[in-house]
Amino acid sequence: MLVTGLEILKKARAEGYGVGAFNTNNMEFTQAILEAAEELRSPVILALSEGAMKYGGRALTQMAVALAKEARVPVAIHLDHGSSYESVLKALREGFTSVMIDKSHEDFETNVRETKRVVEAAHAVGVTVEAELGRLAGIEEHVAVDEKDALLTNPEEARIFMERTGADYLAVAIGTSHGAYKGKGRPFIDHPRLERIAGLVPAPLVLHGASAVPPELVERFRAAGGEIGEAAGIHPEDIRKAIALGVAKINTDTDLRLAFTALIRETLGKSPKEFDPRKYLGPAREAVKEVVKSRMELFGSVGKA
Ligand code: G3H
Ligand code: 13P
Ligand code: ZN
């Protein structure tokens, strides 16, 4: 069933588990994510970035909304990193039930003003909103304290930001970053900062850049001819700790991309004569589904639908 992001996340934060927001750009990822959720009886958030909306157009958005409505578990269709009011309106028109407005690169007052404007529009049509405060930068342990402070979410500012904007959930910067190269190979998560934020902000918190970049997946990608440098992700134990402290929404894209591409490379490498796309997209879809399932187990959302 199609529900708002807040409906899923309020329960998650209250009960101390996390819900995965998984990015999709096509049919195979959408099916893999929704099938995993149904098989494990887990709520799920299907995330579409502006790039995804451009790539997949209405074929993607309408497929996502239709499948979410039919699903036997709660599903929210979410705009990931909406960059403008216009972009949010487009998602609202497409039937999304959750939107993110990301003005984290702007100054505090601009972020407040722009986020508030989006909250008013989204709430008017019953859609809930994610906002972001702080910069998502890969941080290493030895980075100086004041340098960390300048980038990462300030707990007191977070409290004021949420009160002034009326946003429903907050993406925090605590050391994670997007992609396969986090924290120059030694990612650092600022759990004490997260604990202070969670103490001041009762809303569900969101962790971006949370992929694990599992070494076995990286190795599989390499073995199949893929080229990737010193990849590193967030350790599962750090994710578990973050959930215990108040993170309710955990974003994962990179791990799914890696699994999908590794399997396509592997299949085509083994069968150079194959040109039926179903023969390599099928196993790739299965690999995405397996990764989604293992993330749901880690987040503790299994059986929570
Ligand atoms: O945070 C970004 C997501 O991984 C989506 O990436 O903008 O390349 O679709 P994208
Ligand atoms: P990863 O690149 O770690 O998968 O993060 C994805 C994300 O935050 C999407 O918004
Ligand atoms: Zn993100």
Side-chain angles (χ1 to χ4, degrees):
M1 67 224 66
L2 184 58
V3 300
T4 65
L6 186 62
E7 215 170 312
I8 291 175
L9 297 173
K10 208 156 81 178
K11 184 168 177 288
R13 173 135 194 208
E15 295 181 20
Y17 62 89
V19 174
F22 300 99
N23 288 78
T24 181
N25 288 274
N26 64 10
M27 183 186 79
E28 284 77 11
F29 276 61
T30 308
Q31 290 173 317
I33 295 161
L34 294 179
E35 282 172 22
E38 290 201 314
E39 285 171 26
L40 295 186
R41 305 294 312 153
S42 169
V44 75
I45 297 170
L46 211 46
L48 283 76
S49 68
E50 290 174 352
M53 288 176 77
K54 191 167 171 212
Y55 175 78
R58 276 183 62 79
L60 178 67
T61 57
Q62 294 315 294
M63 171 180 61
V65 170
L67 292 181
K69 282 181 182 162
E70 281 174 15
R72 294 182 301 273
V73 294
V75 181
I77 305 290
H78 174 79
L79 172 67
D80 193 24
H81 293 285
S83 64
S84 66
Y85 185 72
E86 290 70 26
S87 174
V88 166
L89 289 189
K90 189 166 175 232
L92 296 179
R93 206 170 44 223
E94 297 285 330
F96 285 41
T97 55
S98 175
V99 290
M100 176 185 188
I101 178 73
D102 181 0
K103 292 284 178 186
S104 57
H105 50 284
E106 302 281 2
D107 61 73
F108 184 79
E109 286 302 325
T110 309
N111 193 354
V112 168
R113 196 172 58 246
E114 295 289 317
T115 300
K116 201 158 177 269
R117 196 170 161 226
V118 161
V119 168
E120 279 160 13
H123 282 184
V125 291
V127 169
T128 56
V129 180
E130 173 179 339
E132 178 166 326
L133 191 64
R135 296 291 181 85
L136 275 203
I139 305 262
E140 298 157 82
E141 191 108 39
H142 66 262
V143 168
V145 174
D146 51 352
E147 207 178 313
K148 277 184 195 153
D149 259 355
L151 291 166
L152 303 183
T153 307
N154 175 290
E156 184 54 22
E157 268 187 15
R159 181 186 69 76
I160 296 167
F161 180 82
M162 292 304 274
E163 280 174 12
R164 285 182 60 190
T165 59
D168 301 290
Y169 20 108
L170 180 69
V172 292
I174 54 168
T176 61
S177 60
H178 292 117
Y181 309 95
K182 300 187 196 297
K184 296 204 181 99
R186 296 175 63 90
F188 163 71
I189 305 292
D190 195 341
H191 287 106
R193 180 182 298 266
L194 174 61
E195 191 169 9
R196 289 200 301 279
I197 299 169
L200 294 170
V201 177
L205 302 175
V206 181
L207 192 61
H208 283 250
S211 270
V213 194
E216 60 279 10
L217 214 49
V218 171
E219 208 26 69
R220 211 163 160 184
F221 177 77
R222 260 196 210 112
E227 288 177 13
I228 188 163
E230 285 303 303
I234 308 303
H235 197 276
E237 207 35 61
D238 283 331
I239 297 285
R240 229 177 258 129
K241 222 165 133 185
I243 294 169
L245 291 173
V247 164
K249 173 173 179 279
I250 304 120
N251 292 10
T252 304
D253 188 359
T254 298
D255 288 357
L256 311 189
R257 293 180 178 196
L258 263 177
F260 193 73
T261 310
L263 260 289
I264 290 179
R265 282 191 166 280
E266 235 176 74
T267 313
L268 291 178
K270 278 186 211 148
S271 321
K273 292 192 180 133
E274 189 57 70
F275 57 85
D276 177 349
R278 295 170 298 189
K279 295 290 188 332
Y280 53 87
L281 293 177
R285 177 172 57 189
E286 270 315 297
V288 171
K289 191 165 152 184
E290 284 315 306
V291 174
V292 172
K293 281 184 166 180
S294 73
R295 301 292 284 168
M296 287 172 166
E297 271 153 20
L298 170 68
F299 303 159
S301 65
V302 174
K304 300 291 186 185

